Amino acid sequence: METKPKGSASLAAIVSAFVPTWITGLIFVAIFLVVRRWYPNIYAPRTFIGSIPEKDRTPSESRSYFNWIHTMRKVPNKFVLYHQSLDAYLYLRFLRTTIFICFVGCCITWPILMPVNATGGGSSTQLDRLGIGNVKKKESFYAHAIIAWVFFGFVMFTVARERLWLIGLRQAWTLSRPVANRLSSRTVLFLCAPRDALDESNIHRFFGDGAVRIWPATKVEALENLVSNRKSKVEQLETAEMSLIRRAYREGRKRAKKDPSLGGHMSYDVLPDSVKKSIRPRHKADVSPLNGKVDSIEWLRGKIKEEETKIEDARKAYEISETNGSAAVFVEFKTCAEAQQACQQVVSSNPLALSPRHTGVSPHEIIWNNLTIHPARRISGESTALAIVIATIVFWSIPSSIIGVISNISYLAENFEWLSFLKNLPSPVIGLLSGLIPPLATSWLSKMVPNIFRYIFKSSGSPTNTAAELKVQRWFYVFQVTQVFLVTAVFSGAAAVASELMERIKNPTSVPELLARQLPKASNFYLTYFIIQGTTSAADNLLNYSDLLEYLFYDYLFDKTPRQKFSRYTSMKGIAWGKLFPKFANFTIIAIAYSCIAPLVLGFAAIGLLLYYFSYRYNLLFVIKPKIDTKGRAYTVALQQLLTGVYIAELSLLGLFGLRRATGPSVIIAILFIVTVTYNALSNKYLAPLEQFLPADLIALSEREGETEPLLSSAEEGRAQTTSHIQHLGQRARVPQTIMEHVLDPLARFFEPQVSTSYQAMKAWLQEDDSYDSDDIPEYTEEQLQKAYLNPALTSPTPLIWIARDPMGVSKNEISENEQCGLKASDQGAWLDEKGRLKWSVHDFGEVPIWKQEMTY
């Protein structure tokens, strides 16, 4: 009977991770079910909040404990596409695609590789028996090589099919009437614009006859500072006004209690002048000890008027001087087609002029300070940012390596004498240290990185939040693969065998056998990683306790004005595509990489991804309002990143087969690797242009069709309605209609994407739902068009001073005094209740004077 390998504690580690995380997840879900009804602005704002147009709200019959489950079952994913954004829908589809890949991987690998591994003749025990390290016979590796061809071929086909499907959807979505008629669809941002390109008179010279309007963007730093100071002073004035109103109300209540003849009510006008003066807020205007305190309200009114005068003077004196390329220009074109053409053509012989270009940019996502960076500084800034990001990734390997070492703490205790005391710890404690702590630490460290990268890219010159987010996505993916996967996996395995390697140096022929047996045990770390991510983290997405605690903390302790209350209540949670796509792409990369080495990982990954899919589907239906729209580009990048898992898996198998001197399987995998490289190069060559730009023939076709004509033009009707080969065979075989609809049709859509993912097919798919409204076309006033892409510092008015109505009548007096100073003020939609608590019109945003319906550009 073979002895158990020392340090093999995979089952104990998994159980130690599973039990506490599953209990924690259940507790989180239970708390979520209870508090969800109490704080709908945190857990279901998309069902009622006034800042969401009624047509875009998620239908919800009640706020009972479990009604949301019925809503999730009833509302399809396409609802997110129509009423949120393309990225939100594609994110859910990405999670479904990764779950599908892992599930099919289980169906392919488990029935064959698990029995082969379990009966491989090795000495591994527990879950390690299911890995390739338990295989001793070289002939058995042919099974792994053949399954690799089948599964990796399926992954590559799925990625190619999804890319074709996305191309068709993006074309149909972008050219649909509601989207194509948006101002952003017809506008192109040109960076590094020369001085002449900023003149309206030169619009056709630089941008062609299709250009109809330009918005220059030049440096206005001084004006931006003035506008920022004015906004800050207005907020301070509102705080001071509310302090006066509260003090007056408290004073009035005290006097009313003392004087029964007042009937419990008292007016601000009857308060003695000395009392009125004593309750007014005061502060020191400067730090000098010689100056006394001033009346805060009067002082702030004067400062706001001073800022207004400076702003008006600065705006009148504003003119466009020589820029030396440190400027940008937004150009509106007549049609989406002309905007696309302008974005693709070379406008200037100067390689740095009017480049780079961005289309589909909305005003709210612009980083104005980054538009006016000199070309040389922009290039150097981007280079510096990349250097910092790469250095961050490289040096992050230090804490990641430590985590990897800890994950194999039982091996260390066996092989290093100074750590032998760890052997005396109880088994559950060792399982906790090796199974729960490392994945938690890895998850916590990973959360910090996207914010660091985002700050770096925004500081280095990214013109829009979307451009910065796409850079975060690309480089956070590099971080995820190198640090969360490769570095952790290498050290997780290397720490386990390092000391034994020293023992085997005298007998080098046994080293390959040792590596082939021990390195796959690094998969144990990712089994527990998927457990923690899929239970605790997914449940945390539902509970969202950090946002709840933040809301309660600021709402009760710090938000003292109606504006602060309103902003806190209506500030909906966003979603960072640059953080989430790489995280779950790496999930799938790990699963694919281990698919033929430790197939069990595929199952754990599928379950973890499924739980995440459920939590994010809830959030996108009820909670989240995306603030960044990449228009499908994030999904394109994520799909291409999945192939990293195929490459890593193939190289790992080549290494393992080489170490075991399995020549036949090595040749099979080497051929597969060449096929993968060829496939990747050809697919990028032919699909990348269609993913980046809209084809001219489709743009012309969409403009000719019009929505009043038949859905399909006669030129394309036959191609769009072509029956696939699978459907044709089913018809010839006279397959029953039920089987055709539920079996053959889905197979045809998946395996023959050239038919189901064409532009016309995707256009029909997009418009088949009742939620699609082809007449939902934004209409803009001339004033909105003139200001759309101007720096807000050039156009923003002085904010309205919003205070709360009170029983004493203080607010009416303060509104009158503010208007006498030339400042607009209002107490509409906010009031003090009988206990002096601040309330505002939560259920009717029409009464909120500072609220305006957001315009879709």
Side-chain angles (χ1 to χ4, degrees), residues 323-368:
T323 62
N324 295 319
S326 301
V329 60
F330 296 89
V331 184
E332 178 193 358
F333 293 86
K334 295 177 183 177
T335 64
C336 177
E338 289 171 312
Q340 287 287 324
Q341 183 179 1
C343 192
Q344 297 176 40
Q345 69 183 6
V346 178
V347 180
S348 173
S349 59
N350 184 345
L352 298 180
L354 297 172
S355 180
R357 309 173 194 115
H358 301 266
T359 187
V361 176
S362 296
H364 71 269
E365 63 176 306
I366 300 169
I367 306 175
W368 292 99

Side-chain angles (χ1 to χ4, degrees), residues 134-365:
N134 195 50
V135 178
K136 283 192 172 182
K137 298 178 182 179
K138 299 179 184 178
E139 295 77 11
S140 299
F141 291 130
Y142 279 101
H144 299 81
I146 294 172
I147 290 299
W149 265 88
V150 176
F151 179 54
F152 299 157
F154 165 78
V155 172
M156 289 186 280
F157 176 82
T158 302
V159 169
R161 186 207 177 277
E162 282 298 298
R163 291 178 70 178
L164 286 170
W165 181 89
L166 178 57
I167 288 170
L169 177 61
R170 285 187 65 193
Q171 291 170 352
W173 176 260
T174 306
L175 296 176
S176 63
R177 285 188 67 198
V179 178
N181 285 281
R182 291 177 183 173
L183 182 60
S184 61
S185 298
R186 296 179 280 113
T187 302
V188 180
L189 166 61
F190 295 88
L191 298 176
C192 305
R195 174 63 183 84
D196 292 344
L198 306 181
D199 285 339
E200 189 87 32
S201 58
N202 294 327
I203 184 172
H204 298 306
R205 169 189 160 195
F206 281 94
F207 309 111
D209 295 335
V212 296
R213 193 193 312 266
I214 65 170
W215 296 270
T218 58
K219 291 183 179 180
V220 287
E221 292 178 349
L223 184 56
E224 287 175 335
N225 291 334
L226 290 173
V227 171
S228 177
N229 290 337
R230 181 186 64 184
K231 179 183 177 182
S232 176
K233 292 291 190 299
V234 168
E235 292 174 350
Q236 292 176 39
L237 176 58
E238 289 177 343
T239 301
E241 295 276 23
M242 287 305 303
S243 176
L244 171 62
I245 290 172
R246 286 190 173 91
R247 291 176 182 179
Y249 183 66
R250 286 195 294 267
E251 185 67 26
R253 289 182 65 183
K254 289 179 183 178
R255 292 177 175 268
K257 288 179 179 179
K258 293 179 181 178
D259 189 352
S261 64
L262 296 174
H265 300 285
M266 191 170 184
S267 171
Y268 179 68
D269 294 332
V270 302
L271 287 177
D273 291 341
S274 59
V275 174
K276 291 181 180 179
K277 184 176 181 180
S278 66
I279 62 177
R280 291 183 71 85
R282 301 174 65 83
H283 75 285
K284 278 197 171 186
D286 54 45
V287 296
S288 174
L290 301 178
N291 295 328
K293 292 185 177 181
V294 298
D295 186 291
S296 298
I297 294 176
E298 293 180 358
W299 183 84
L300 286 167
R301 286 171 182 163
K303 286 296 182 180
I304 292 172
K305 294 305 293 183
E306 288 180 16
E307 298 290 349
E308 278 187 343
T309 302
K310 293 178 182 178
I311 290 171
E312 290 304 315
D313 292 342
R315 287 175 177 172
K316 291 177 181 178
Y318 170 74
E319 61 179 16
I320 301 174
S321 57
E322 182 57 47
T323 62
N324 295 319
S326 301
V329 60
F330 296 89
V331 184
E332 178 193 358
F333 293 86
K334 295 177 183 177
T335 64
C336 177
E338 289 171 312
Q340 287 287 324
Q341 183 179 1
C343 192
Q344 297 176 40
Q345 69 183 6
V346 178
V347 180
S348 173
S349 59
N350 184 345
L352 298 180
L354 297 172
S355 180
R357 309 173 194 115
H358 301 266
T359 187
V361 176
S362 296
H364 71 269
E365 63 176 306

